[in-house]
């Protein structure tokens, strides 16, 4: 149990377009979901925390207007990279919290390449 | 603040042991350990909750010293499959999980 999926697993887009990434908890309701970004040979950096039905909380230095997060239900959070540029190319990973469990459950990640 | 891991990289021969350390400047509720292979998402290894517990499975174990705000991951009799980047994550209860900078482990035949 406690499976988190992401879609798509990889995406290539042109500079200036917007890309939406979905994160779903498949067999549990996620109290909170988190979005991370990882550049090559670097650590996972937390971008934002989202709770169902409320605005996401962004980490310092993360542009909220560029990385739109919508947490529409207890099983779905979406990250939209707006007007993507080559420097947004990265590995985006979501994770989810489950009530009463300290472990975070990670999705398989989405690799974004902006040309 | 990001927890600090040491060493940054380590090279082992198959069968050798290794220790990876993780320290935080903030009080911790839990420490999470992950291993990531190139091009893949991190894989959960174990979580340690405050209380100074030690955990392990197979030949990988970890300890958590709450007072020192430190955790160590112990890999014994390393196998080729242990190669990858190891991350510790530090978390306050129910709060954000912040990762260390990673330790790259290479196990050679």
């Amino acid at each position: 149990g406690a499976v988190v999926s992401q879609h798509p697993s990889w995406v290539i887009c042109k500079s200036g377009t917007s890309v939406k990434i979905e994160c779903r908890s498949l067999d549990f309701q996620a109290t909170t979901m988190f979005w991370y970004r990882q550049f090559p040979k670097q650590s996972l950096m937390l971008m934002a925390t989202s709770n169902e039905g409320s605005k996401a909380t962004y980490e310092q230095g993360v542009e909220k207007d560029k990385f739109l997060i919508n947490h529409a239900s207890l099983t779905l959070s979406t990250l939209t990279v707006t007007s993507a540029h080559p420097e947004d190319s990265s590995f985006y990973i979501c994770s989810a919290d489950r009530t009463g469990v300290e472990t975070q459950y990670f999705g398989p990640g989405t690799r974004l390449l902006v040309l | 603040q990001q927890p600090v891991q040491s060493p940054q990289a380590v090279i082992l021969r198959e069968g050798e042991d290794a220790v990876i350390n993780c320290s935080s400047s903030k009080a911790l509720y839990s420490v999470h350990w992950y291993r990531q292979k190139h091009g893949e998402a991190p894989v959960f290894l174990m979580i340690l909750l405050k209380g100074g517990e030690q955990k392990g499975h197979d030949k990988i174990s970890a300890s958590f010293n709450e007072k020192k705000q430190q955790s160590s991951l112990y890999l014994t009799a390393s196998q080729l499959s242990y190669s990858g980047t190891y991350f510790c994550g530090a978390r306050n209860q129910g709060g954000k999980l912040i990762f260390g900078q990673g330790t790259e482990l290479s196990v050679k035949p």
Side-chain angles (χ1 to χ4, degrees), chain B residues 15-103:
Chain B
E16 291 182 338
D17 303 339
V19 180
I20 300 172
N21 299 302
C22 174
S23 64
S24 173
S25 58
K26 288 188 169 183
L28 301 173
Y29 180 79
S30 60
V31 177
H32 308 226
W33 285 97
Y34 289 82
R35 176 172 59 212
Q36 185 178 34
K37 294 191 180 279
H38 181 68
E40 300 176 9
V43 172
F44 174 75
L45 293 176
M46 64 187 76
I47 180 175
L48 299 103
L49 303 179
K50 70 175 185 176
E53 64 171 340
Q54 188 151 351
K55 267 192 173 181
H57 59 83
D58 199 13
K59 296 185 176 69
I60 300 175
S61 62
S63 63
F64 177 25
N65 188 318
E66 178 192 347
K67 287 183 181 177
K68 291 186 178 180
Q69 294 162 193
Q70 292 176 348
S71 177
S72 295
L73 184 72
Y74 307 94
L75 302 107
T76 58
S78 59
Q79 305 167 17
L80 294 176
S81 61
Y82 287 4
S83 292
T85 303
Y86 288 78
F87 292 99
C88 71
R91 189 174 194 189
N92 294 318
Q93 187 174 9
K96 299 182 287 190
L97 180 61
I98 305 299
F99 286 92
Q101 80 276 22
T103 296

Side-chain angles (χ1 to χ4, degrees), chain A residues 27-99:
Chain A
D27 53 0
F28 67 99
Q29 292 186 328
T31 51
T32 306
M33 286 183 164
F34 304 86
W35 287 94
Y36 293 82
R37 178 170 54 181
Q38 185 179 36
F39 292 108
K41 294 199 175 293
Q42 293 188 22
S43 184
L44 290 86
M45 300 305 295
L46 181 65
M47 299 175 67
T49 302
S50 75
N51 292 288
E52 185 256 344
S54 60
K55 288 185 179 180
T57 303
Y58 292 82
E59 294 300 300
Q60 194 172 9
V62 177
E63 300 173 58
K64 61 179 71 174
D65 293 331
K66 181 165 188 62
F67 299 100
L68 300 179
I69 292 173
N70 183 272
H71 198 146
S73 74
L74 286 172
T75 60
L76 173 64
S77 176
T78 59
L79 168 69
T80 302
V81 183
T82 62
S83 188
H85 291 286
E87 57 266 29
D88 298 322
S89 299
S90 189
F91 191 39
Y92 292 87
I93 310 172
C94 72
S95 68
D97 262 350
R98 187 175 185 176
T99 303

